[in-house]
């Protein structure tokens, strides 16, 4: 299954614009296919890493699905859709970014999904997320392994655990860019599955990390919610990283790369 990507103006990246129904259909095909696939998402943090970290960029360029997982990214993609004129009708209408917590609750609609692995977060959050997923996909065996204190030894144990579990779908939430680095490094030796980089979604699905109200998301203000709840963790991404990204994009423009 080959999915067509579309450019996100100004940011110099491509994405696979899918809504929940579209992604569910894609996952149906991936699970039936039984080969290794990767699902990631673009927000401003990932765009910054895309333009600053070569291996991160290669991983995204080689991923099967790159979701529009960030309000600014979605807004810029939408601007490109409007400017496309006649091509606009060929592009899906996206009213809201597609984050992991938007599509994970729809996994019960994926046919033939019998084995799910949840890798990441602390022990309590991981266990609660596993229980939630068992309720979402009642017919599936859901296994979990915490990722707190990730180091080379734990990475080896995780690889051995995945080889034993043989999942069809893996939710890996180690934070960005660690989860992407791990997949880029280990993917050739891991068992065939759909590997989804979900960041903090494991804690969110578990109910440990509160989700922003949807109306805030529609206004592009989820960053304010996260800043309020986790000021130390989020402050740099909100106030510092956008300037880093701006510098990277300006340098790219001066080099004639668009």
């Amino acid at each position: 299954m080959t999915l067509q990507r579309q450019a996100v103006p100004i940011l110099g990246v491509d994405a696979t614009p899918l809504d929940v129904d579209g992604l569910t259909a894609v996952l149906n095909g991936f699970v039936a296919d039984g080969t290794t696939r990767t699902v990631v998402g673009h927000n401003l943090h990932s765009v910054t890493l895309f333009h600053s970290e070569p291996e991160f960029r290669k991983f995204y360029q080689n991923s099967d699905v790159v979701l529009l997982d960030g309000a600014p990214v979605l807004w810029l993609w939408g601007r490109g859709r409007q400017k496309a004129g006649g091509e606009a009708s060929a592009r899906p209408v996206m009213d809201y970014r597609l984050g992991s917590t938007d599509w994970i609750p729809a996994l019960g609609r994926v046919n033939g999904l019998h084995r799910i692995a949840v890798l990441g977060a602390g022990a309590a959050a991981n266990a609660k997320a596993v229980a939630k997923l068992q309720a979402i996909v009642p017919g599936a065996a859901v296994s979990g392994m915490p990722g707190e204190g990730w180091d080379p030894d734990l990475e080896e144990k995780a690889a051995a655990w995945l080889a034993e579990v043989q999942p069809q779908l893996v939710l890996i939430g180690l934070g960005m860019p660690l989860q992407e680095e791990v997949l880029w490094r280990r993917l050739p030796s891991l068992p065939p599955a759909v590997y989804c980089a979900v960041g903090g979604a494991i804690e969110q699905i578990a109910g440990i990390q509160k989700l922003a109200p949807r109306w805030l998301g529609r206004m592009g203000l989820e960053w304010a919610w996260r800043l309020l709840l986790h000021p130390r963790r989020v402050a740099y991404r909100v106030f510092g990283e956008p300037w880093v990204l701006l510098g990277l994009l300006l340098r790219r423009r001066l080099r004639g790369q668009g």
Side-chain angles (χ1 to χ4, degrees):
M1 180 184 295
T2 302
L3 298 170
Q4 185 177 3
R5 295 193 194 176
Q6 296 168 5
V8 180
I10 300 176
L11 297 181
V13 297
D14 296 328
T16 321
L18 295 168
D19 57 14
V20 173
D21 290 338
L23 180 59
T24 301
V26 169
L27 292 177
N28 267 303
F30 286 173
V31 170
D33 184 49
T35 58
T36 296
R37 303 284 190 165
T38 52
V39 177
V40 298
H42 255 320
N43 53 35
L44 290 186
H45 185 44
S46 69
V47 174
T48 302
L49 292 166
F50 182 94
H51 290 300
S52 60
E53 302 293 337
E55 288 190 353
F56 187 94
R57 179 166 57 252
K58 289 177 183 177
F59 177 66
Y60 263 63
Q61 288 172 334
N62 287 280
S63 290
D64 296 281
V65 174
V66 184
L67 301 172
L68 292 161
D69 181 18
V73 180
L74 174 62
W75 181 76
L76 288 170
W77 174 84
R79 288 289 299 272
R81 181 177 182 273
Q82 292 172 359
K83 290 180 180 179
E87 297 178 9
S89 59
R91 294 185 173 213
V93 176
M94 300 287 291
D95 294 325
Y96 186 72
R97 72 177 186 86
L98 187 61
S100 301
T101 52
D102 296 306
W103 58 262
I104 288 175
L107 286 176
R109 289 157 31 197
V110 178
N111 298 323
L113 184 55
H114 304 303
R115 298 181 306 281
I116 302 172
V118 182
L119 176 60
N126 190 282
K128 289 181 178 180
V130 166
K132 185 67 179 288
L133 278 159
Q134 285 175 332
I136 291 172
V137 195
V142 185
S143 305
M145 179 175 179
E148 203 168 37
W150 193 268
D151 60 17
D153 288 340
L154 187 54
E155 185 170 315
E156 289 296 332
K157 291 178 182 177
W161 173 71
L162 289 170
E164 179 183 352
V165 172
Q166 290 290 311
Q168 296 164 289
L169 183 139
V170 180
L171 303 180
I172 175 169
L174 301 175
M176 186 183 290
L178 178 57
Q179 59 199 13
E180 290 81 11
E181 291 171 355
V182 170
L183 288 175
W184 176 253
R185 192 164 53 236
R186 306 296 303 227
L187 204 58
S189 62
L190 294 178
V194 183
Y195 291 87
C196 307
V198 299
I202 294 175
E203 290 186 343
Q204 293 166 346
I205 291 294
I208 290 177
Q209 189 179 120
K210 292 183 179 179
L211 288 168
R214 180 52 61 92
W215 63 268
L216 271 180
R218 291 188 184 279
M219 295 173 65
L221 294 175
E222 271 191 64
W223 60 269
W225 176 266
R226 292 195 296 269
L227 184 63
L228 180 66
L229 294 181
H230 309 286
R232 291 185 179 180
R233 186 193 307 177
V234 178
Y236 173 73
R237 287 195 187 182
V238 172
F239 298 116
E241 193 170 63
W243 295 102
V244 174
L245 176 57
L246 179 60
L248 290 167
L249 294 175
L250 287 173
R251 187 185 311 169
R252 186 173 181 272
R253 180 63 62 88
L254 289 173
R255 290 176 176 173
Q257 294 177 299

